[in-house]
Each structure stands twice: as C-alpha cells, then as structure tokens.
Amino acid sequence: GAVVSQHPSWVICKSGTSVKIECRSLDFQATTMFWYRQFPKQSLMLMATSNEGSKATYEQGVEKDKFLINHASLTLSTLTVTSAHPEDSSFYICSAQVGVEGWGSPQHFGDGTRLSIL
Amino acid sequence: KQEVTQIPAALSVPEGENLVLNCSFTDSAIYNLQWFRQDPGKGLTSLLLIQSSQREQTSGRLNASLDKSSGRSTLYIAASQPGDSATYLCAVKTGTASKLTFGTGTRLQVTL
C-alpha cells in the first residue's frame, strides 16, 4: 500500500519550454503533497508544500512563478517548470502524506523525474 | 532552523560486516524520524519510521534507534550484503507544517 506514482520519469526538452510533472497517490488520499529538488550527490531540498484545494506554500528562495504547483484533487499534484532553462535541470521528487494520520504519519515518495534542459 | 547531519559521508565495508550509520539533528522537537534508501538515479525507499515517543524500530536486518534528547539516531545494518549498497538518508519531521528535513546522506558500498 501507499504507492506514489510520478510521471514522467525522465524528460529532455529545449530551453524555454514548460514541463509538467505529475504526482499521484494510487491507493490512498493525500491531503498534503511535497515537492523536492535534488542536485547530483546532494540531499533533497524541499521546494514547496501542496495542500489539496489551496495554494502551495513555497520555501524561501523558490520562485513560485517559475515552479507552478497545482493540487486539484486528493490524489494528484502537478509541478510545472515554466520557461525552463539549463539551470533548472535536476532531479525532482514528490511525496504524499496521508493526512488523517496526523503529524506522525510518514511521507511516501515517488520515483522521481530527471529533467534535462538543453 | 532544523539541521540534519549524517556521518560518515561515505563508507565501504566487506560483505558480512555489521555497520552503523549516524544521524544527528539540531532541534529535538521532532514528530518522527525516517530512514530512507536511495539507489543511483532513483527515488526514495522508506526503511524505518520512528515516532518521537519511540526508542527504536526493527525491520529484518535493520535496526534504527532514536535518542531525541541528544538529537541522534543510528541505523544498524547486520550482516551487510552487496545489495545494501546505496545512499542512506535520514529525515526528521518538525514544525507545524509537518516538513521533512533531510540529512546529507551516507553512501554505502558493500564489497564482495
């Protein structure tokens, strides 16, 4: 149980295009989803917290107009990297939390999306 | 601001050895602590979750302990195998926003 699916797993696109990444909780409802970014050989950095039906909360230094997050349902959150540039190339990982279990509940992670901007 | 540090950054051991990975955090007001495994280019696999009220959790050859007052956790791996080679991350959940703060990771290589 508690499976999180992330799509696509790998994307290459030209500079200036926008890329959408989907994060789905397959067998549970996720009140809260999180988006992380990971640079090579570094740890995960939280980008934003996404609550269903409300605006995402972005971490300091993360451009909300560059990284658009939508959490329209209890099973789906999307991250859109707008007008992507080579410096946006990274590994993006989402996670989902079962809200009803409260603060002690674990986050379940997707397999990540490797984004390469040419 | 919560800061999480893992020691060592890298570790190489021969197959069969028992080993300990360390995780320390600066703010002891945590809800829980999780240990994850990450294979190269892959997402995270949750290994163990310890709630703030617990002292340890066990799963197979893995045992994780938590000393909240001193801000420390250890992950003990018994009888290591080459398949255990991966990066191990610890993460603590703190704050009303239920955020996870990740450690710097330990890259483990188990050799034949």
Side-chain angles (χ1 to χ4, degrees):
Chain A
V3 178
V4 175
S5 173
Q6 195 171 333
H7 179 81
S9 58
W10 187 35
V11 59
I12 302 174
C13 59
K14 294 181 180 180
S15 182
T17 59
S18 293
V19 179
K20 180 183 285 188
I21 303 170
E22 292 187 348
C23 179
R24 294 180 183 271
S25 56
L26 297 185
D27 52 1
F28 66 98
Q29 292 186 329
T31 306
T32 306
M33 289 186 173
F34 303 85
W35 288 94
Y36 297 85
R37 183 173 182 176
Q38 185 178 34
F39 291 103
K41 297 188 185 291
Q42 295 188 24
S43 194
L44 279 73
M45 298 297 295
L46 179 65
M47 298 175 66
T49 302
S50 167
N51 290 298
E52 185 265 338
S54 62
K55 291 184 178 180
T57 302
Y58 290 82
E59 294 299 298
Q60 190 174 8
V62 177
E63 300 175 60
K64 60 181 181 181
D65 294 331
K66 159 70 80 174
F67 300 101
L68 300 179
I69 293 173
N70 183 278
H71 192 165
S73 77
L74 285 172
T75 59
L76 174 64
S77 177
T78 60
L79 167 67
T80 300
V81 183
T82 61
S83 187
H85 288 93
E87 59 266 28
D88 298 322
S89 299
S90 191
F91 193 57
Y92 294 87
I93 307 177
C94 72
S95 71
Q97 180 172 288
V98 179
V100 294
E101 293 183 17
W103 306 120
S105 59
Q107 291 183 21
H108 305 282
F109 285 79
D111 285 338
T113 296
R114 183 158 305 284
L115 175 63
S116 297
I117 309 298
L118 304 177
Chain B
K1 178 185 174 184
Q2 179 72 272
E3 293 183 1
V4 183
T5 304
Q6 290 184 243
I7 295 174
L11 181 64
S12 180
V13 300
E15 181 180 15
E17 274 204 8
N18 303 323
L19 58 101
V20 175
L21 307 182
N22 298 289
C23 172
S24 61
F25 46 95
T26 55
D27 184 353
S28 62
I30 66 172
Y31 293 106
N32 60 43
L33 182 146
Q34 269 182 279
W35 281 94
F36 296 90
R37 168 187 173 137
Q38 185 176 32
D39 293 291
K42 301 293 185 181
L44 302 183
T45 300
S46 181
L47 299 174
L48 291 165
L49 168 71
I50 311 176
Q51 300 292 357
S52 61
S53 59
Q54 297 174 323
R55 294 292 297 238
E56 66 176 342
Q57 283 287 331
T58 298
S59 176
R61 293 183 294 110
L62 306 179
N63 176 276
S65 67
L66 173 64
D67 185 343
K68 199 173 70 165
S69 61
S70 67
R72 295 181 181 179
S73 176
T74 61
L75 178 67
Y76 176 82
I77 303 177
S80 59
Q81 304 170 357
D84 294 331
S85 299
T87 294
Y88 290 80
L89 297 165
C90 73
V92 295
K93 180 180 282 190
T94 52
T96 56
S98 197
K99 298 180 185 180
L100 275 183
T101 302
F102 280 83
T104 46
T106 295
R107 291 190 301 279
L108 172 65
Q109 182 174 12
V110 181
T111 58
L112 292 171

